[in-house]
């Protein structure tokens, strides 16, 4: 959140795309902090309900903060227009465990991110980029900023054209 605000202190509207795992949980945290900061936020749920304990906890915290949520498979034209016009687009769909191809929902959301005019940030890595190999799934959107946790991952050096600026966030893990 702090890294995003430092780079875009004038933002007003943000769309945050959240997957079902811990990366989605991180997205819910960013959405809540953006809302508390004063931004208008739309959460886009990709792949269904959160599945990990951290994602579930932070989903409910975002819900209690009255952040509007839409299901990616049910996006309306109005939702799409809102997303495309947002000042900030946050990718928290897939994290370091991603392998293979983007789901249809994730590919549609990644496409919307790619077409959006706002600043684009990914949490840990752009969804569709394989962490260890740097393999890029079709439909993966490039971002302006990747905020990764604990340390850079191999993919950041293997696919820098997708990652933009890479910032390592200390989350308290020892060497």
């Amino acid at each position: 959140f702090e890294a995003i605000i430092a780079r875009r202190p004038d933002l007003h509207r943000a769309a945050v795309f959240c997957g079902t795992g811990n990366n989605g949980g991180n997205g819910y945290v960013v959405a809540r902090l953006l809302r508390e900061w004063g931004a208008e936020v739309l959460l886009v749920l990709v792949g269904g309900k959160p599945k990990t304990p951290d994602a579930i906890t932070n989903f409910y915290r975002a819900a209690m903060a009255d952040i509007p949520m839409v299901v990616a498979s049910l996006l309306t034209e109005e939702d799409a227009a809102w997303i495309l016009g947002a000042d900030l687009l946050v990718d928290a769909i897939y994290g370091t465990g991603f392998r293979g191809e983007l789901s249809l929902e994730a590919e549609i959301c990644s496409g919307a991110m790619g077409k959006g005019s706002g600043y684009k940030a990914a949490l840990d890595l752009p969804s569709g980029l394989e962490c260890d190999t740097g393999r890029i799934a079709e439909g993966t959107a490039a971002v302006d900023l990747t905020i990764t946790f604990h340390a850079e991952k191999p993919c950041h050096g293997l696919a820098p054209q997708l990652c933009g600026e890479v910032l390592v966030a200390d989350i308290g893990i020892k060497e």
Side-chain angles (χ1 to χ4, degrees):
F1 163 77
E2 291 169 357
I4 291 168
I5 294 304
R7 285 153 183 80
R8 289 293 180 261
D10 59 340
L11 78 88
H12 301 286
R13 292 181 10 170
V16 182
F17 298 88
C18 294
T20 61
N22 287 335
N23 199 265
N26 295 331
Y28 294 122
V29 172
V30 170
R32 187 171 42 80
L33 293 173
L34 286 167
R35 177 68 176 250
E36 288 172 5
W37 183 77
E40 189 178 353
V41 180
L42 177 66
L43 272 165
V44 182
L45 283 61
V46 183
K49 294 187 222 178
K51 294 182 177 151
T52 65
D54 286 341
I56 292 167
T57 296
N58 288 299
F59 167 82
Y60 284 111
R61 286 181 178 161
M64 294 303 292
D66 289 326
I67 299 172
M69 299 183 191
V70 295
V71 175
S73 62
L74 302 174
L75 288 176
T76 65
E77 285 184 32
E78 182 179 298
D79 295 330
W82 198 97
I83 290 165
L84 292 174
D87 302 317
L88 171 68
L89 302 163
V90 178
D91 175 355
I93 301 171
Y94 296 126
T96 58
F98 173 81
R99 304 284 181 276
E101 301 302 321
L102 292 170
S103 70
L104 179 60
E105 273 186 331
E107 191 169 345
I108 289 168
C109 290
S110 188
M113 282 191 63
K115 289 180 183 171
S117 59
Y119 187 77
K120 297 163 183 71
L123 303 183
D124 234 354
L125 46 85
S127 293
L129 178 59
E130 289 187 5
C131 180
D132 296 329
T133 66
R135 182 185 168 279
I136 303 167
E138 184 158 346
T140 302
V143 298
D144 301 301
L145 171 68
T146 298
I147 303 164
T148 192
F149 306 107
H150 176 61
E152 280 196 32
K153 314 304 187 278
C155 63
H156 299 131
L158 295 169
Q161 73 279 14
L162 288 180
C163 299
E165 176 190 359
V166 177
L167 176 70
V168 177
D170 179 4
I171 56 171
I173 298 174
K174 302 285 184 222
E175 286 285 323

